[in-house]
Structures are given as C-alpha cells and as structure tokens.
Amino acid sequence: MITKNIKHNLAVLAMGCGVAFTTAGCNDFLDVLPMNDVVLENYWTKESDVTSVLMGCYESLQSGDCVTRMGLWGEVRSDNIRMGNSSAQDLEQMLKENILPTNGYCNWTAFYQTINRCNILMHYAPKVQELDPNYTQSEMKANIAEATFIRSLCYFYLIRTFRDVPFTREPSIDDTKEYRIPADSFDVVLNNIIADMESVKDDAPMYFRKPSPDRIDSDAERDNTARVTRPAMYALLADLYLWQGDWKKCVECCDYVIDFKKDEFDKLLKRRLQNDVQLFNEIPLYLEKVGSLSGNAYNAIFGEGNSFESIFEISYVSSNTDNQNSYVGSFFTHVNNNQITSGNLVAYDGFYDGLPTKNTELFNTKDCRAYESIYERGTAYWISKYGAQTVELDNTKTNWKPSYSWRSENFSNWIVYRLTDVMLMKAEALIEQGSDNYEDAFTLINAVNRRAVNSLTPGSGEVLKFDDYKNTLDDMRKLVMEERQREFMFEGKRWFDLVRMARRTGSTRELAKTVTKKQLTNIGGIQIRLADPNALYMPYSRSELKVNPYLTQNPAYNTGGDADLQKN
C-alpha cells in the first residue's frame, strides 16, 4: 500500500489517505477535507482534537461509498436481488457473476480511508491524554474503543468480500515512508480484529445518554445507537466469533447483549413505558400488530430508526441535507419528483409471487416481513424496506394489501446490528454445538418468526414446528438460514451468510444452487464458476494492483492482463 501527496504540516484531518490507494484516490479524499495550515504538534493537544477526529471516523463510515458497498457486497450476489431501473454496467455484471478487476465496486478506498482515520486517532489519543488534564484516561479509552469498533467493522467487511486483505494498525502520517504491504489471510485478519476488540470491549460506555426515567427519550435512543456502546462491541464480537467458529464465545457475547436488552425492558416495564414491546419467548421485541393494524415493528425499527431493538446503526439526520443515505436513495424504491420509482435493484419474484393468497418459497401469507420488504408493482417486485417510511397491514381484511408512505428524502438509517440479529447468531452457534442445543436454538428462531406472523401466544397459529427440524444438523442449519433471510432481507447480510455456510461445510454447491435461482441465463456457467471457492470473493481492483506490487490477484480472476500487470 502507498500514500502520496500527504504533507507533514497539514492537520491530521487532511491525512485521510489510507492503504493501497491510487494517487487520484488520495487527491479526491484530500479535496473534501479542511486544508488549514496547522502543524501536527499544535493540533493534537486537547480533548476536542480527538473528539473531532472521532466524529470524522463516523462520518467516513457514513459516506455513500462505504454504505453502498456494505449493502452491495453483502446482498447483490445473493438470491434476494435482481436488476431494477438501472443501466449501470458494473452493477449488472455483479448480478451476472461476471465480475472483473475493472469493476468499480471492487474499489475498497472508502474503507481504508476510514481505517486510517481510526489508526491516526489511536496513535495520537494517548499523547493528548498526557497533555490535557481535562481529558481523562477513561474518556481516552472509550474513544479508542469506538475507533477500534469502526476499524474492526471495516476490516470485517473487507475480509468477507475479498478474503485476504492488507492489514495494518499503523497510521499513514509520514510521507517519508512507503506503505506497501502484502495481503494477510482471512484468518490472520479475523484473529487480529478479535484480539483488538477483546482488548477494549469493556472500555466503551454502556450509554452516551441515560434514558429519561419518566418518558421515552428519542434523543437518548439516537445517541445510544448511533455511537458505539458496549453492547455494540459485544454484538460485533459475536459476529466475529461466529465466523471464526468459536461457538461458546459467540453465545457468551450474544447473551451479554440479550441480557442488556432484557434489563432495559424491565426498566421500561417498571416505568410503564413502551407498551408495544412485549416478551417473545422471554426476549423483548416490538409487536407487529397494534390494534387492528400490523407494521408497528417495521415502523419503529426502519421508519423512525434508533429503536429499542437497535444496537448500532449508521444514522442520518434530516437537518443535514448534505449527508443522506445515497445507497437507499439510488438502489431501493424511493420518491423522485413526487413519483414513486424503482431503484437500481428489485427483489427476486419467487419470494413474493402468489401472496397473499398462498405461501411463497420463503414467506408465509401472514408474515409481515414479506409486505414490509417487497412492494408489488404490477408484475414487478420493488424493494420497500428502508424506502418506506411506514407500512400498514389491516388484519381485519382477508387480503393483506399493504399501505405505504414513502420517504421524500433519503434519511433512513443503515442498521448494522439489531437484537434479532444477535438472537439468530446465538441460535446458529447453538446449532453448531450439537443436537442437545437444538431446542434452545429453535426457541430463539421461533421467537423472531412469531413476532413477524403476529402470534404472541405460543402454540397459537405458529408457522414453525420443532418436530419438522429437530432430526438433522442440515435441517436446523436450513431453518436458521431461512429465518435470517426473512428477517434481514436487503440489509446487506444474505451473501455473507451464504459464504459463511459454504466455508463451514467446505462446499459451494448449495450456495451456487441457491443464488442461481434468480438467474435467467447462463445458469450452468455460473454454477461452474462458483464451484471454485476463490470465486466467492471479489477480485482486487486493477488500480490497487498497479500501486501495490505485493498484492497477488485472487486466482479466480487472474486474467492474462492482470498476470502481465503483476510482472511489471
């Protein structure tokens, strides 16, 4: 990796170029940052300097380039997505599994920019703590914990997408030194970020703002979910351990988060607040049905955002018109010139076609998530999740025709972790621990499903039956994967779930069979391509190969041109 055009006499906020960037990438990044002539020694002197850069880490994670890739990398290659109202070649080629190193979505610059900001903060924060008597050690450790979470999350996206990536904790602050390093393996990076997270997991605060004792405090909810709290640290760790295959530690981290939410619910109950949150198999979740209408859970989690169930989400504030969720605005159903329009992506029709009169291959007719996630538009199936401000389903009618209100501007938050994700991670880890845990895993899965089909009372119209799945590991794995697909459809998780399961079983056959259901042509060719485990990951961008000779292209994409490039 290499950085260029970074001057030592610029404030660190002007030093965002991370690893393995092209010169153009560095210049683009510098152009959007304040270029005030402040020497570094004079900048890193007080707490506010650290806080400013920390907010820059969040803003970098919030950027359109980052969030768009979080969504596309985790979703487009899955069975959920088809091409919508777009002629974008890079997107079309991803959907066709014809991904070349020249594809713009192979560019990882935004993530390494974010990583470098975090590295810079962690480098300077201890020095500031020595200089500023008002900057306490606990505050410094909390700031470093936040930056560690953001950096680890970025690396986690990178390894799930590219497998082997350059890993460094060293900031790019010295233009006399070249930053060119080879990629580390998936497992090496994963082990390193787990170690980083473990070292600071309890330094993050439980709250940034204590909830009000006598009312629902939306400001507190936003502050406690839009920044990294201790429960968010444990949620990310649970995910990391799930990929590592450490089932015991995954369960322990999930339990920490679930117990935290149970405690919060008990406090709400004592204060007689939030009566639309109820216990589903002893875990507090929003009711879907309130009165005669369903959709309440969607409206709280996705419509309003920063909900009780949220753990960490990338938050957009409507007062900041310059910073919107461009991913949702471009790729999902949205309002354009007062007209509802399809985004660049649409849903695979097999998940909705036939509703509400008959079940589909994934959804029961009474599963609210089908109607909340997918908007039937004639013979097309647009993505309504995130784009819809509210969804209402009238339970008094036989035909569950949903009613939507749409966002006029794209300020929908992007949810990284929420409570049901943690519940299903725990269920998956329990399943892998053996058949003695199947029933406990099913209880968690069924709680998520029951909420969606409006069945609060166990045994009353439940869709899932334990006896249908309890006999084999394959059946239980299928159950948790399907429930994750229903619950997190279009949330940037499905492709990663399929890759995780393929890594675990040592076979890509089921993945290839699953994702080619949506294809209309070249099904056999795509299945042959995906038989190669290397093809589950994206190629390195050609621009990265040019500036970093230590990178070796993924062999699934090592075309003649790239082979020649690497010899130069």
Side-chain angles (χ1 to χ4, degrees):
M1 54 190 169
I2 186 169
T3 60
K4 295 182 179 180
N5 300 329
I6 301 179
K7 300 178 188 288
H8 188 69
N9 67 334
L10 294 176
V12 72
L13 286 176
M15 295 187 186
C17 289
V19 296
F21 301 143
T22 64
T23 303
C26 290
N27 288 337
D28 290 344
F29 181 61
L30 290 172
D31 286 344
V32 302
L33 293 171
M35 299 293 287
N36 51 317
D37 189 17
V38 181
V39 295
L40 284 175
E41 289 77 7
N42 292 337
Y43 182 78
W44 290 99
T45 59
K46 55 188 182 298
E47 178 182 2
S48 60
D49 297 336
V50 180
T51 303
S52 177
V53 176
L54 180 59
M55 292 304 103
C57 296
Y58 281 102
E59 289 170 6
S60 187
L61 191 67
Q62 189 187 50
S63 70
D65 282 347
C66 263
V67 172
T68 294
R69 282 161 177 77
M70 287 180 186
L72 294 183
W73 288 349
E75 200 71 57
V76 166
R77 300 177 70 187
S78 78
D79 49 334
N80 288 345
I81 296 286
R82 278 182 170 166
M83 194 73 168
N85 182 26
S86 175
S87 58
Q89 284 298 307
D90 285 347
L91 184 62
E92 185 175 1
Q93 295 309 311
M94 280 186 72
L95 285 159
K96 291 180 177 179
E97 285 296 332
N98 184 30
I99 309 169
L100 299 176
T102 51
N103 191 301
Y105 294 118
C106 297
N107 187 309
W108 59 28
T109 301
F111 284 85
Y112 276 112
Q113 287 174 349
T114 308
I115 287 167
N116 193 54
R117 288 191 182 200
C118 296
N119 285 341
I120 290 170
L121 181 146
M122 286 184 269
H123 176 80
Y124 281 105
K127 295 177 173 60
V128 174
Q129 201 271 322
E130 293 176 0
L131 293 172
D132 185 352
N134 296 317
Y135 188 36
T136 67
Q137 187 175 41
S138 62
E139 290 170 331
M140 178 200 70
K141 291 170 72 174
N143 291 160
I144 289 176
E146 289 180 80
T148 300
F149 175 99
I150 295 171
R151 182 180 70 183
S152 300
L153 183 67
C154 288
Y155 276 127
F156 192 32
Y157 272 101
L158 288 168
I159 61 173
R160 287 179 295 175
T161 303
F162 298 96
R163 187 175 55 193
D164 305 336
V165 302
F167 176 82
T168 184
R169 300 182 181 94
E170 187 176 351
S172 172
I173 56 177
D174 184 354
D175 64 355
T176 66
K177 185 174 182 179
E178 285 192 344
Y179 290 88
R180 291 176 173 176
I181 61 174
D184 285 305
S185 72
F186 181 102
D187 289 332
V188 166
V189 178
L190 180 62
N191 292 341
N192 272 286
I193 58 180
I194 286 175
D196 290 345
M197 289 288 294
E198 282 286 356
S199 69
V200 299
K201 65 183 181 183
D202 293 322
D203 293 337
M206 294 297 292
Y207 306 96
F208 282 94
R209 185 185 298 200
K210 277 283 189 180
S212 171
D214 56 359
R215 63 183 175 85
I216 297 296
D217 189 339
S218 59
D219 290 336
E221 292 287 356
R222 183 178 65 249
D223 289 350
N224 293 329
T225 54
R227 287 185 66 176
V228 176
T229 59
R230 201 173 305 169
M233 300 289 285
Y234 277 82
L236 176 55
L237 266 170
D239 210 352
L240 297 173
Y241 282 127
L242 192 64
W243 280 78
Q244 189 186 57
D246 192 328
W247 318 125
K248 182 175 181 293
K249 288 185 178 178
C250 176
V251 169
E252 288 173 356
C253 291
C254 289
D255 281 340
Y256 183 95
V257 179
I258 292 170
D259 288 345
F260 170 79
K261 289 296 184 182
K262 286 181 176 179
D263 183 61
E264 290 300 289
F265 175 71
D266 288 342
K267 293 175 184 176
L268 291 173
L269 210 59
K270 289 175 182 176
R271 289 147 51 197
R272 298 183 180 180
L273 299 173
Q274 200 87 49
N275 58 8
D276 59 343
V277 176
Q278 299 291 327
L279 292 177
F280 288 82
N281 294 356
E282 305 306 316
I283 298 179
L285 299 172
Y286 282 104
L287 290 168
E288 271 288 9
K289 180 180 178 182
V290 177
S292 63
L293 296 176
S294 294
N296 177 70
Y298 175 90
N299 299 337
I301 297 167
F302 298 99
E304 297 176 23
N306 304 115
S307 70
F308 169 81
E309 289 187 29
S310 178
I311 298 165
F312 179 70
E313 54 193 75
I314 298 171
S315 189
Y316 297 86
V317 182
S318 59
S319 59
N320 183 2
T321 57
D322 293 329
N323 194 12
Q324 300 183 33
N325 189 336
S326 58
Y327 174 57
V328 171
S330 298
F331 291 88
F332 294 0
T333 304
H334 58 280
V335 175
N336 185 22
N337 294 326
N338 297 318
Q339 296 292 321
I340 306 299
T341 183
S342 165
N344 294 339
L345 300 170
V346 296
Y348 165 60
D349 52 7
F351 296 146
Y352 196 101
D353 189 26
L355 290 175
T357 57
K358 64 179 182 179
N359 297 340
T360 70
E361 59 186 81
L362 185 64
F363 288 109
N364 177 274
T365 58
K366 296 298 184 182
D367 194 324
C368 295
R369 295 168 299 189
Y371 310 95
E372 293 163 350
S373 301
I374 301 171
Y375 170 45
E376 184 179 15
R377 182 82 171 195
T379 58
Y381 300 96
W382 296 1
I383 298 172
S384 53
K385 183 176 277 188
Y386 281 116
Q389 182 77 55
T390 63
V391 181
E392 290 185 349
L393 294 151
D394 191 339
N395 292 273
T396 64
K397 297 180 179 178
T398 304
N399 188 334
W400 271 38
K401 194 70 174 177
S403 173
Y404 302 91
S405 69
W406 301 94
R407 298 182 192 276
S408 57
E409 294 181 283
N410 301 306
F411 295 113
S412 55
N413 295 348
W414 184 253
I415 300 172
V416 179
Y417 291 112
R418 53 192 177 97
L419 181 54
T420 51
D421 197 356
V422 175
M423 293 167 64
L424 294 179
M425 283 194 281
K426 179 180 177 181
E428 185 177 335
L430 287 171
I431 289 167
E432 298 301 325
Q433 285 182 309
S435 57
D436 289 347
N437 299 292
Y438 285 178
E439 191 164 6
D440 288 341
F442 179 84
T443 298
L444 289 162
I445 298 165
N446 196 34
V448 177
N449 189 272
R450 280 174 46 216
R451 186 267 289 279
V453 297
N454 294 310
S455 177
L456 184 60
T457 305
S460 175
E462 292 187 58
V463 173
L464 304 179
K465 309 290 184 184
F466 180 51
D467 287 347
D468 294 338
Y469 301 95
K470 66 180 183 181
N471 293 323
T472 71
L473 174 60
D474 286 344
D475 286 344
M476 290 299 295
R477 282 175 169 172
K478 181 180 179 183
L479 171 65
V480 72
M481 286 296 108
E482 287 184 347
E483 193 60 31
R484 285 188 62 85
Q485 186 175 18
R486 286 186 284 263
E487 182 71 8
F488 308 118
M489 183 164 282
F490 313 129
E491 295 182 46
K493 296 181 183 287
R494 175 61 174 170
W495 173 256
F496 293 147
D497 284 349
L498 293 170
V499 171
R500 183 173 67 255
M501 192 57 67
R503 287 173 59 91
R504 188 174 301 160
T505 62
S507 171
T508 66
R509 181 175 299 178
E510 190 62 31
L511 177 148
K513 179 182 175 182
T514 298
V515 300
T516 50
K517 289 187 301 183
K518 70 179 183 183
Q519 300 291 346
L520 301 177
T521 59
N522 195 31
I523 293 173
I526 293 172
Q527 289 183 338
I528 292 172
R529 188 176 304 149
L530 292 175
D532 180 0
N534 296 308
L536 302 187
Y537 304 93
M538 298 270 280
Y540 298 138
S541 168
R542 292 201 74 193
S543 62
E544 299 297 338
L545 294 172
K546 287 180 180 179
V547 298
N548 188 354
Y550 294 103
L551 285 180
T552 301
Q553 183 62 279
N554 182 331
Y557 306 95
N558 204 3
T559 62
D562 288 333
D564 293 339
L565 177 67
Q566 290 176 293
K567 293 176 184 177
N568 295 334

